[in-house]
Amino acid sequence: MADLLLRAPVSERRRAFKYELTDRERAVVMTEVERATGSLYGLWRDSPSGFVEDVLGESLWSRQKAVLDALVGHKRVAVPAGFGVGKTHLAARATVWFANVYPVGTALVITTATRFRQVQRQLWPHIRKVVPRAGLPGYCDTTQYKMPDPYGSDFVAAYGFSAPSNDEAAMQGIHMPHLLLIVDEAGGIAPMIGHGTNNLLTGGHAAMLAIGNPSMDDPSSWFEGLCLEGDDPGEPTTVTIPIASTDSPAITGETAPYCTDCPREVTRHSLSEHMPDQDWVDRTIRSYGPDHPYVIAKVYARFPKGGGGVVIPPSWVEAATSYEDPTGEGWHRLCDLGLEGETAEHTVREGSWVRLGVDIAADGGDEFTIYRSVGDAVEFRHASAGAANDNQVTVAEVVLEEIHAAQRLADALGSAHPVRVKVDQNGIGFGATSMLERWAQTGRHRAQIVGVMVSESPEQDDPAAVMRPWRKRDEMWLATRSLLQPDPSSGRGRLRLHIDKKAAAQLSTPKLLSRTNGYTEIESKKSMRARGMKSPDRAEAVLLALYEPEPLHQPRRRGLLNR
């Protein structure tokens, strides 16, 4: 019977094994399969989706099955995926399948991602959960899956690592009769590491699953090249299977499997409840706009062309919102300082400069927003809209409350610099600025008030700069861009963003434009509204919090703006 099943087509084999054999017969057949193939699970060597359903006891939806089964017969499987479609869940199942269907000691799974944190905290928790739950042989530690070999020793059947972006030797010197490389978060993999995967796929039985969100700002990423290769009929060993968020069963109505990751105490429910629905798609498109790189990549699983020409690429903003907070001597969680109203859990450093950025609504349709910068950490403080914002006294009093909170924080941290408040003076902002300045003179606060006219010439104008801002607003955007731009050596920018989703979306919305005279200009609010975008009030409050007018060169004569 074992011999007949091994020779039968996958569908017939699975049907016969599940429905035509008794439990006792199945056990005997699997023992004979192990004798013939070297693995107790050899029946599922050519059926990854069957292994997940029959052995792990889980269900799959159509796109998941297509991806897993493509690993049989293809050397490279590329999966550009949207948000929330279970990329990491899928990669974990592929890992466990491959490690179990070959004799112990002959098969190895290597998982990698852009950062080790992604390997350790995203993919491997799924693997550690699956192995004991399904009663599979061996055990997992943080980033290793070890199985007992025939000699009683532990064999590392799978492990995870990440390589520096410039380490071309990282993907060399690994040999095994059966090898599977899983590249998670593939959209961020450096070209040198990506191209180095070919070193592992030469000779023998080797395959690769590359899965992740399309890069939003790299027009020539390694992952995009791999996905294009998978669409080329001339490359039969590579296949591309996109999974857009709009493919979610919660949207298409496809019957989805039950969720197996939630605790048993939770009422049994469909996996689709954890996946993007139409409301999420609609809200995302409204927030970013239909042509925004975030929507193209995270909703439709496509590669934006040229990153959309935005001032600040979405991936820079996304990275800055996910950096780990520093800890150790001199660092304190805000909520541990014992200050009234300070409930945030991120860390700040002793002596940090505390600054506020205030963008006052120009009309009832815009927002009055305040953001605070404490050293390298930027956080949301206030947002409101409506007729109340037309009253400059009310607006100034709200700012005053935030000044007092900022002063308490600065005193607790022992900051050597006075609290500085940058206010957009346009419209009623001029009156609010004057009022705040007067209150400083009468002792109601100790902060420095700096009025900013964004339509004026920039404070800094370096003729040798690659991007020379045309107006102060352009200067502010470019300054924040430089702070968020990842450093090539460390791979990260200089800011930690603890901000709301609206502000994050607005930071990566305006387009980068060039004037005929060579100066750089940021897309105007009017132009943004014309393409369905809201005024970036929250983003510009972030810019104001960070902006410091310190002239390096004499500004251009203001009359130039009128030429």
Side-chain angles (χ1 to χ4, degrees):
M1 176 61 71
D3 183 64
L4 289 173
L5 289 175
L6 286 170
R7 295 172 183 273
V10 171
S11 59
E12 293 182 17
R13 177 199 314 155
R14 290 187 60 200
R15 179 182 53 77
F17 184 83
K18 291 173 67 175
Y19 302 114
E20 297 179 11
L21 300 180
T22 65
D23 290 344
R24 177 178 174 79
E25 288 171 335
R26 289 193 195 95
V28 174
V29 165
M30 289 180 69
T31 301
E32 291 301 319
V33 168
E34 183 177 22
R35 195 193 313 275
T37 66
S39 169
L40 188 66
Y41 304 102
L43 278 177
W44 293 273
R45 186 172 294 177
D46 57 354
S47 178
S49 65
F51 178 87
V52 172
E53 294 181 335
D54 302 342
V55 178
L56 302 186
E58 300 179 355
S59 299
L60 298 167
W61 59 289
S62 59
R63 289 302 177 99
Q64 291 177 319
K65 289 183 180 180
V67 170
L68 287 173
D69 290 338
L71 290 170
V72 178
H74 292 94
K75 210 171 194 62
R76 300 171 185 84
V77 178
V79 185
F83 173 81
V85 294
K87 304 180 295 296
T88 305
H89 177 280
L90 196 58
R93 274 62 186 172
T95 300
V96 174
W97 159 72
F98 197 87
N100 278 278
V101 296
Y102 296 100
V104 177
T106 69
L108 175 64
V109 183
I110 302 172
T111 76
T112 189
T114 311
R115 300 180 181 87
F116 184 70
R117 173 171 53 84
Q118 295 168 326
V119 175
Q120 184 182 44
R121 299 187 182 183
Q122 294 182 27
L123 175 57
W124 275 84
H126 283 274
I127 298 173
R128 291 198 300 270
K129 185 183 295 183
V130 169
V131 170
R133 186 169 63 197
L136 297 173
Y139 65 95
C140 293
D141 59 23
T142 308
T143 54
Q144 292 185 111
Y145 177 19
K146 298 179 181 179
M147 304 172 70
D149 66 14
Y151 308 101
S153 301
D154 279 346
F155 172 76
V156 178
Y159 69 87
F161 85 110
S162 66
S165 60
N166 57 352
D167 185 2
E168 60 181 336
M171 294 293 180
Q172 297 179 5
I174 303 172
H175 304 286
M176 193 64 62
H178 307 286
L179 180 66
L180 174 63
L181 173 62
I182 294 182
V183 183
D184 196 16
E185 304 294 344
I189 293 294
M192 186 173 292
I193 300 300
H195 295 307
T197 59
N198 285 327
N199 299 328
L200 299 181
L201 302 180
T202 56
H205 171 219
M208 176 177 67
L209 170 62
I211 187 168
N213 299 131
S215 172
M216 291 180 279
D217 48 51
D218 187 352
S220 57
S221 68
W222 166 78
F223 188 42
E224 181 174 7
L226 180 68
C227 292
L228 290 173
E229 180 182 311
D231 290 329
D232 184 356
E235 297 286 351
T237 62
T238 304
V239 63
T240 297
I241 304 174
I243 308 178
S245 294
T246 51
D247 293 324
S248 162
I251 296 175
T252 64
E254 175 184 343
T255 301
Y258 285 112
C259 171
T260 56
D261 283 341
C262 287
R264 292 183 178 180
E265 295 77 16
V266 177
T267 303
R268 199 179 192 195
H269 57 281
S270 169
L271 182 63
S272 64
E273 292 187 19
H274 298 293
M275 303 181 73
D277 57 15
Q278 191 62 50
D279 178 67
W280 178 86
V281 170
D282 293 340
R283 290 173 64 88
T284 302
I285 293 174
R286 285 197 302 269
S287 296
Y288 288 85
D291 60 345
H292 195 281
Y294 186 96
V295 172
I296 295 172
K298 295 295 184 81
V299 175
Y300 299 117
R302 299 197 301 263
F303 291 87
K305 299 304 178 185
V310 294
V311 183
I312 302 174
S315 62
W316 296 3
V317 177
E318 191 173 30
T321 61
S322 62
Y323 293 147
E324 293 187 3
D325 292 318
T327 57
E329 186 177 355
W331 290 93
H332 307 280
R333 292 199 312 167
L334 276 172
C335 58
D336 293 338
L337 293 173
L339 300 176
E340 179 185 353
E342 299 294 348
T343 59
E345 297 185 355
H346 64 267
T347 59
V348 293
R349 193 169 192 169
E350 289 180 8
S352 292
W353 192 9
V354 182
R355 300 174 289 169
L356 297 176
V358 182
D359 187 81
I360 298 177
D363 56 59
D366 291 344
E367 283 188 305
F368 161 39
T369 58
I370 303 175
Y371 284 76
R372 185 172 72 186
S373 168
V374 185
D376 68 329
V378 182
E379 61 175 324
F380 167 81
R381 295 296 298 179
H382 174 83
S384 59
N389 292 337
D390 293 337
N391 187 319
Q392 61 186 13
V393 177
T394 302
V395 168
E397 287 176 342
V398 172
V399 179
L400 182 62
E401 290 180 10
E402 287 299 326
I403 290 175
H404 289 158
Q407 190 65 61
R408 290 193 294 269
L409 177 57
D411 293 342
L413 294 175
S415 177
H417 305 286
V419 172
R420 181 172 285 182
V421 184
K422 280 68 61 75
V423 186
D424 183 355
Q425 288 193 105
N426 290 287
I428 67 169
F430 184 83
T433 302
S434 300
M435 198 167 298
L436 292 168
E437 290 173 340
R438 178 59 180 167
W439 288 344
Q441 295 169 1
T442 58
R444 292 190 67 180
H445 67 82
R446 292 183 283 145
Q448 290 183 351
I449 306 299
V450 180
V452 179
M453 291 294 292
V454 297
S455 58
E456 292 181 349
S457 298
E459 295 291 341
Q460 303 180 31
D461 183 20
D462 183 358
V466 176
M467 294 184 182
R468 296 178 66 187
W470 176 241
R471 296 170 302 175
K472 192 169 290 186
R473 176 175 179 265
D474 308 322
E475 179 185 29
M476 291 163 53
W477 276 100
L478 294 178
T480 302
R481 170 190 165 92
S482 69
L483 292 172
L484 288 169
Q485 184 171 9
D487 182 86
S489 59
S490 64
R492 61 174 294 166
R494 289 177 281 173
L495 295 177
R496 290 176 292 137
L497 297 180
H498 295 278
I499 58 178
D500 51 288
K501 291 182 178 180
K502 284 186 177 180
Q506 291 175 11
L507 279 170
S508 57
T509 294
K511 294 182 179 181
L512 189 65
L513 308 173
S514 296
R515 296 179 64 89
T516 55
N517 57 9
Y519 286 97
T520 298
E521 189 172 22
I522 310 306
E523 182 183 19
S524 68
K525 293 183 179 182
K526 181 179 179 180
S527 176
M528 292 172 62
R529 288 192 182 100
R531 59 186 182 94
M533 307 306 298
K534 295 181 179 179
S535 177
D537 305 304
R538 299 195 181 203
E540 296 196 339
V542 172
L543 308 186
L544 285 163
L546 299 167
Y547 175 67
E548 292 302 330
E550 298 177 2
L552 296 178
H553 300 270
Q554 288 297 323
R556 298 191 312 276
R557 290 184 293 109
R558 195 165 299 171
L560 286 175
L561 286 174
N562 299 321
R563 290 188 178 182

